[in-house]
Amino acid sequence: MSTTTSTQIQLASRPTGWPTHDNFQTVQVTYEAPKPGQVRVRNEFVSVDPYMRGRMNDVRSYTPPYQLRERITGGAVGRVVESSAEELPVGTVVLHQHGWSDIIQDDAASFRAIPEVPGVPLSLNLHILGMTGMTAYVGLTAIAGLKEGDTVFVSGAAGAVGTAVGQIAKLLGASRVIGSAGSAEKVALLTEKYGYDAAFNYKDGDVRGQLAAAAPNGIDVFFDNVGGDHLEAALAAFNDGGRAALCGAISAYNETSAVPGPNNMSNIITRALTLKGFTLGSYLHLAPEFQAKMGEWFPAGKINYDETIVDGIENTVDAFLDMMRGANTGKMLVRVTK
Amino acid sequence: MSTTTSTQIQLASRPTGWPTHDNFQTVQVTYEAPKPGQVRVRNEFVSVDPYMRGRMNDVRSYTPPYQLRERITGGAVGRVVESSAEELPVGTVVLHQHGWSDIIQDDAASFRAIPEVPGVPLSLNLHILGMTGMTAYVGLTAIAGLKEGDTVFVSGAAGAVGTAVGQIAKLLGASRVIGSAGSAEKVALLTEKYGYDAAFNYKDGDVRGQLAAAAPNGIDVFFDNVGGDHLEAALAAFNDGGRAALCGAISAYNETSAVPGPNNMSNIITRALTLKGFTLGSYLHLAPEFQAKMGEWFPAGKINYDETIVDGIENTVDAFLDMMRGANTGKMLVRVTK
């Protein structure tokens, strides 16, 4: 049992608009030997996610705001390196929500042991096999009520959630899946690697026109990670009885003034549409169902993924900011290297 | 069996913005004696409804647009005055969708016989005991999933649907019902006659602030007849898991350019809200359930209503325009007088 120093990233001030490095501070925290019931975990991968931007604001939401001068919490996967808790011996791989740090020391109950499967990178527990994949599954099934033969539109389709949504939609019987992404390379990836039937670059503008061209028979399901003009385009393209799973609105997260909503809201009535916002926290009871499906699909090679990896816990803020700007393909992760 | 002349109102041209008399034409149609299987019906009351404005536009919707130089169709109640169909003898009271006319002659199958109950005006079949009341019931139950103890906000609460919504919400266990209306007189009526716990005049402005003041603990259900700033106010006031039944958007029906949507759409995600547009046509299977409830409430004196009656089929366009401007309290009806 030893003393160690952990590098942690805290919220220093609340961002207005786009966050900058000034909104964060890196601190060194010294841990004595773990107390009885505690373990020390060395993180291997730390997650940066769009929802974190919302928690940096001091507003009411489904999760409480981050507190100033406290560690940014969030998903991470690591390995127990010291243990005073017999249920988590040294060497155990654990998933947890302690967030942006290289080393975490806390009560064993705040970590969840997960199996280490040969050939399956631990990082996948932070995306396709974890919350991200489950967000895609729950959004399509419990929220949007995907039916066989549906045409599905996914905004921000080359991100961690979007790449999962397209594939899962196809596996669940969607007849046509359309995606938007922010570069020509990502658009190509959607159709070549992720099974999208059509894709377009929203930075080319006219999202409504591009979606209409890609969906000549309309859309039945919209999985939204972006909001703004994507939602407006979807409302214009919906068939009667269409359903939207609203998962994210990254286009608005860094706006400093209120952004007007879609100018075609009346379609919600005339086409009998349902828009449903969700966050995974209320659907954790569906984890066994998701894991059963993914346990079938993933080993059968039916699920592709991408990771954009930034090395070094000291670069976590850069990774987060790059992710907010769309620099990632698939899941953005920080690999703890020291 | 005789020849007769019917006065009918047709769509003459499609309105741009607010309709005017120039968009309509009154024509005289001569009917010979009813053919076998036909009946002749003299209308007693003809309905004018907000949804009709949408059908005057040539756009895709849940109901096809009205055709130029054809009668405006819609709900009406009348009595068989000549019959060549034994299932509908002379004197039978019928409900139908033939619309704006004093006399209708058509196949018996296009009319539905309804019971004539002593002391119950026939006109009620066009609102509280008919589609309007059922719209209120279905919106609260099947669409918004009203639960006991919910706080409910109703926009346009002094209209035909709104007066029904407030009362039915209370009968189904809502703990607090808040309504908006367009005059001080209507606001008073909501709390004095219709069981609303609080009400405000949206023409005083600041709908968001007025709603927040009336709902210090937030709202759980929103029944929207108005759209626009009412929807924005509701999105700001919703508790987590809130549900909106979007029934009408009368604020936008006569706009000539697209109106921006609410500027707080991201609340749909952060508060896990559901917005569901509906029209009654998809929920007609719930008619027995509605009739059973109303058959209990109405005879027990638990349901109030108002009618704003315009006399003379030749004044139907005025009645319609006045209703669009909010001149009615409760249901706007045309009484056929000649």
Side-chain angles (χ1 to χ4, degrees), chain B residues 220-292:
Chain B
D220 305 296
V221 164
F222 175 41
F223 193 111
D224 195 12
N225 298 301
V226 176
D229 52 1
H230 278 84
L231 180 52
E232 191 170 284
L235 290 178
F238 263 128
N239 295 320
D240 290 356
R243 294 139 275 142
L246 305 186
C247 177
I250 200 166
S251 69
Y253 290 169
N254 295 304
E255 296 288 343
T256 51
S257 56
V259 184
N263 68 9
N264 49 2
M265 292 287 286
S266 61
N267 289 1
I268 299 175
I269 302 175
T270 56
R271 300 184 190 175
L273 308 178
T274 302
L275 274 60
K276 200 167 164 61
F278 77 108
T279 50
L280 198 58
S282 305
Y283 297 89
L284 297 181
H285 59 284
L286 297 177
E289 181 183 322
F290 164 68
Q291 285 156 0

Side-chain angles (χ1 to χ4, degrees), chain A residues 38-53:
Chain A
Q38 287 194 328
V39 292
R40 180 177 297 167
V41 168
R42 183 185 177 283
N43 279 337
E44 302 210 354
F45 292 95
V46 169
S47 186
V48 294
D49 297 278
Y51 78 84
M52 293 173 163
R53 177 62 189 86

Side-chain angles (χ1 to χ4, degrees), chain B residues 2-321:
Chain B
S2 64
T3 297
T4 194
T5 301
S6 155
T7 300
Q8 312 204 343
I9 292 143
Q10 301 180 339
L11 189 64
S13 59
R14 300 200 182 278
T16 303
W18 282 90
T20 69
H21 278 272
D22 290 343
N23 298 123
F24 303 92
Q25 60 190 20
T26 301
V27 300
Q28 307 296 321
V29 174
T30 300
Y31 292 121
E32 304 300 323
K35 293 182 187 133
Q38 286 193 332
V39 294
R40 179 179 298 168
V41 169
R42 182 183 176 283
N43 280 336
E44 303 212 353
F45 292 94
V46 169
S47 187
V48 294
D49 297 279
Y51 78 84
M52 293 173 163
R53 176 64 188 85
R55 296 192 64 188
M56 293 172 190
N57 298 330
D58 192 15
V59 295
R60 164 185 160 199
S61 184
Y62 57 97
T63 43
Y66 290 129
Q67 296 303 301
L68 296 180
R69 289 168 300 283
E70 292 193 3
R71 191 193 324 118
I72 301 280
T73 56
V77 63
R79 197 180 292 271
V80 176
V81 291
E82 296 211 15
S83 177
S84 297
E86 61 185 27
E87 67 271 32
L88 291 182
V90 168
T92 309
V93 174
V94 292
L95 196 62
H96 62 87
Q97 288 292 320
H98 290 291
W100 292 6
S101 181
D102 54 353
I103 291 170
I104 295 286
Q105 190 165 305
D106 212 318
D107 293 339
S110 66
F111 301 88
R112 184 159 66 81
I114 56 171
E116 198 171 3
V117 181
V120 178
L122 290 184
S123 58
L124 304 199
N125 294 290
L126 295 178
H127 54 107
I128 192 71
L129 301 182
M131 291 297 194
T132 306
M134 186 168 160
T135 296
Y137 179 81
V138 166
L140 285 170
T141 57
I143 308 299
L146 180 71
K147 295 194 290 262
E148 270 200 41
D150 277 348
T151 294
V152 177
F153 172 48
V154 186
S155 66
V161 173
T163 48
V165 173
Q167 300 178 87
I168 293 175
K170 281 287 196 167
L171 287 165
L172 293 174
S175 67
R176 183 172 175 82
V177 181
I178 300 155
S180 76
S183 75
E185 293 70 25
K186 289 180 181 179
V187 165
L189 204 66
L190 290 179
T191 54
E192 290 163 13
K193 181 170 179 179
Y194 288 108
Y196 279 80
D197 298 285
F200 62 85
N201 183 348
Y202 63 80
K203 290 186 178 165
D204 291 343
D206 189 17
V207 174
R208 195 193 284 218
Q210 292 199 76
L211 175 58
N217 297 317
I219 64 169
D220 305 296
V221 164
F222 175 41
F223 193 111
D224 195 12
N225 298 301
V226 176
D229 52 1
H230 278 84
L231 180 52
E232 191 170 284
L235 290 178
F238 263 128
N239 295 320
D240 290 356
R243 294 139 275 142
L246 305 186
C247 177
I250 200 166
S251 69
Y253 290 169
N254 295 304
E255 296 288 343
T256 51
S257 56
V259 184
N263 68 9
N264 49 2
M265 292 287 286
S266 61
N267 289 1
I268 299 175
I269 302 175
T270 56
R271 300 184 190 175
L273 308 178
T274 302
L275 274 60
K276 200 167 164 61
F278 77 108
T279 50
L280 198 58
S282 305
Y283 297 89
L284 297 181
H285 59 284
L286 297 177
E289 181 183 322
F290 164 68
Q291 285 156 0
K293 292 283 190 187
M294 197 50 91
E296 184 185 313
W297 295 330
F298 187 79
K302 293 180 174 173
I303 298 284
N304 288 322
Y305 62 87
D306 275 283
E307 296 178 333
T308 303
I309 292 181
V310 171
D311 278 313
I313 193 71
E314 66 279 13
N315 296 318
T316 304
V317 172
D318 281 324
F320 175 71
L321 297 177

Side-chain angles (χ1 to χ4, degrees), chain A residues 60-62 231 238-240 246-249 258-263 265 268-279, chain B residues 60-62 231 238-240 246-249 258-263 265 268-278:
Chain A
R60 165 185 160 199
S61 183
Y62 56 97
L231 180 53
F238 263 126
N239 295 319
D240 290 358
L246 306 186
C247 177
V259 184
N263 68 9
M265 293 288 286
I268 299 175
I269 303 175
T270 56
R271 300 182 190 176
L273 308 179
T274 302
L275 273 59
K276 200 167 164 61
F278 77 109
T279 51
Chain B
R60 164 185 160 199
S61 184
Y62 57 97
L231 180 52
F238 263 128
N239 295 320
D240 290 356
L246 305 186
C247 177
V259 184
N263 68 9
M265 292 287 286
I268 299 175
I269 302 175
T270 56
R271 300 184 190 175
L273 308 178
T274 302
L275 274 60
K276 200 167 164 61
F278 77 108

